[in-house]
């Protein structure tokens, strides 16, 4: 929901705190091959606060600290896009499922990881095509993995719509996105 995502992003202090929660999650640390990111959310929030382009300021700050650009750009993309989802999922679980904040945070982290695994580059064999898994595909298709993941999700959503499976609204949103 773009409106809810916008509301979550508007609360910059919470957004950058959530961003750092995701950046420091085991999932993204593993994606960065175990490298650690020891920057507090306040440092990133301060860097972003004075800039018109918040994302560019945060990326610049992280790169300024000397981290490997590709690993951190990947993590940045997943965490920055996921921070609004994560916050909105926490709020939803607390409001509609009656979870405590700690329970909601733990569940939202699992849900965020699941969504990221479906839509981002994945090493999980069930999440990549046969072409991507081939020796040549690992070299040639490595740079088109994310668009291929989205195409796979859209194809599955269309199949589900045609066959009357799942939630129509959710499937349509995947196709439109």
């Amino acid at each position: 929901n773009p409106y809810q995502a916008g509301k979550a992003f508007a609360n910059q202090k919470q957004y950058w705190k959530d961003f750092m929660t995701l950046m420091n999650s085991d999932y993204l640390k593993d994606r960065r091959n175990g490298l650690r990111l020891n920057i507090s959310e306040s440092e990133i929030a301060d860097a972003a606060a004075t800039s018109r382009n918040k994302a560019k300021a945060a990326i610049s700050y992280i790169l300024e600290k000397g981290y490997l650009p590709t690993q951190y750009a990947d993590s940045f993309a997943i965490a920055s896009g996921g921070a609004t989802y994560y916050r909105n999922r926490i709020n939803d679980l607390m409001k509609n499922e009656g979870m405590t904040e700690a329970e909601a945070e733990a569940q939202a982290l699992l849900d965020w990881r699941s969504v990221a695994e479906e839509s981002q580059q994945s090493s999980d064999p069930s999440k990549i095509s046969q072409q991507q898994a081939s020796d040549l595909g690992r070299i040639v298709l490595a740079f088109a993995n994310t668009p291929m993941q989205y195409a796979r999700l859209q194809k599955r959503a269309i199949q589900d719509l045609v066959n009357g499976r799942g939630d129509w609204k959710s499937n349509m949103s995947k196709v439109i996105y």
Side-chain angles (χ1 to χ4, degrees):
N1 180 332
Y3 174 72
Q4 291 297 337
K7 274 180 45 179
F9 183 73
N11 183 349
Q12 284 287 289
K13 185 176 179 182
Q14 184 64 57
Y15 174 84
W16 291 110
K17 183 177 179 187
D18 292 341
F19 171 86
M20 287 309 300
T21 296
L22 301 180
M23 280 293 279
N24 289 318
S25 68
D26 290 341
Y27 172 63
L28 287 184
K29 282 190 216 174
D30 287 345
R31 285 182 70 96
R32 294 188 305 265
N33 297 319
L35 296 175
R36 301 220 177 247
L37 179 62
N38 292 320
I39 301 172
S40 74
E41 61 267 14
S42 62
E43 290 174 276
I44 292 179
D46 290 345
T50 58
S51 175
R52 298 190 97 194
N53 185 335
K54 311 288 187 203
K56 184 177 180 181
I59 287 173
S60 294
Y61 183 79
I62 290 170
L63 293 178
E64 222 175 78
K65 294 293 183 181
Y67 298 110
L68 297 174
T70 56
Q71 291 173 332
Y72 283 91
D74 173 69
S75 288
F76 181 88
I78 295 169
S80 63
T84 58
Y85 170 86
Y86 174 71
R87 178 54 40 196
N88 286 323
R89 186 69 180 131
I90 290 169
N91 294 340
D92 180 59
L93 291 167
M94 287 172 31
K95 180 180 177 183
N96 297 323
E97 303 292 326
M99 291 185 177
T100 66
E101 187 170 4
E103 292 169 334
E105 286 174 353
Q107 184 60 50
L109 199 57
L110 291 172
D111 294 347
W112 162 77
R113 180 179 178 154
S114 176
V115 169
E117 275 292 312
E118 285 182 3
S119 60
Q120 299 299 317
Q121 294 178 350
S122 177
S123 59
D124 182 345
S126 70
K127 306 283 187 214
I128 59 176
S129 69
Q130 286 182 315
Q131 292 97 348
Q132 289 169 292
S134 71
D135 292 336
L136 182 60
R138 288 185 185 277
I139 297 166
V140 176
L141 300 175
F143 302 102
N145 198 338
T146 300
M148 290 177 76
Q149 292 291 74
Y150 279 104
R152 183 185 59 76
L153 290 171
Q154 286 177 318
K155 177 186 170 199
R156 180 58 47 106
I158 291 168
Q159 290 172 330
D160 288 347
L161 282 168
V162 168
N163 293 310
R165 291 186 300 250
D167 175 42
W168 183 87
K169 184 178 169 185
S170 176
N171 286 327
M172 264 324 269
S173 114
K174 288 177 185 174
V175 171
I176 291 168
Y177 181 78

